[in-house]
C-alpha cells in the first residue's frame, strides 16, 4: 500500500521507511538500517539504559516541544512516526564540539 510509510527525523535528518516491519524495534532500525551503533543492546528489557535515546514531539496545546527518554530496545519502530529522535551520535562530536548536555555533565 502506498500509505504504509513512516516519516520521522533522526539526529536532524528526515527518514522515511516504506512498509516497516511491525515487530521491528527502534534499536534494530537505528543499528542495522542507519548504521548508528552508538545505541547499544544491553539487557533487552529496558533496565540497563544502554539503548536510551531522546524522542521529541511538538505539543500543540503547550505550543512547545516535549522531550523524553525511551528505551529503543522496547520502542516499536512504527511508533516513531512524526517524532524527532536524538541518539548519542546526534549530541556532539569532536568536529562540532560538545552538545550543551555533554558540557553540563563534564562540569
Amino acid at each position: 500500500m502506498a500509505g504504509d510509510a513512516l516519516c520521522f527525523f533522526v539526529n536532524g535528518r528526515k527518514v522515511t521507511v516504506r512498509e516497516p516491519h511491525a515487530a521491528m524495534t527502534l534499536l534494530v532500525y537505528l543499528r542495522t538500517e542507519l548504521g548508528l551503533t552508538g545505541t547499544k543492546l544491553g539487557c533487552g528489557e529496558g533496565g540497563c539504559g544502554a539503548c536510551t535515546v531522546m524522542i521529541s514531539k511538538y505539543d500543540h496545546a503547550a505550543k512547545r516541544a516535549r522531550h523524553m527518554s525511551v528505551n529503543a530496545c522496547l520502542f516499536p519502530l512504527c511508533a516513531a512516526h512524526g517524532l524527532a529522535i536524538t541518539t548519542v551520535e546526534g549530541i556532539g562530536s569532536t568536529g562540532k564540539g560538545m552538545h550543551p548536555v555533554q558540557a553540563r555533565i563534564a562540569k
Side-chain angles (χ1 to χ4, degrees):
M1 292 184 180
D4 291 341
L6 299 176
C7 182
F8 53 95
F9 290 83
V10 176
N11 299 332
R13 191 183 90 189
K14 186 176 181 179
V15 176
T16 301
V17 182
R18 303 208 186 287
E19 298 182 18
H21 190 282
M24 183 176 278
T25 64
L26 179 59
L27 175 68
V28 170
Y29 187 81
L30 291 171
R31 293 181 59 83
T32 62
E33 301 299 320
L34 299 182
L36 297 173
T37 57
T39 304
K40 308 291 187 198
L41 175 61
C43 67
E45 298 175 348
C48 72
C51 66
T52 303
V53 298
M54 179 177 74
I55 62 169
S56 305
K57 183 175 183 176
Y58 188 74
D59 183 339
H60 293 282
K63 297 183 181 175
R64 68 182 192 95
R66 298 273 184 193
H67 311 284
M68 64 187 76
S69 61
V70 297
N71 296 315
C73 71
L74 301 176
F75 196 82
L77 177 63
C78 291
H81 186 71
L83 300 178
I85 298 159
T86 305
T87 68
V88 66
E89 291 92 345
I91 62 168
S93 69
T94 56
K96 296 178 185 176
M98 285 195 279
H99 184 275
V101 172
Q102 292 171 312
R104 181 74 175 185
I105 292 170
K107 285 186 177 184

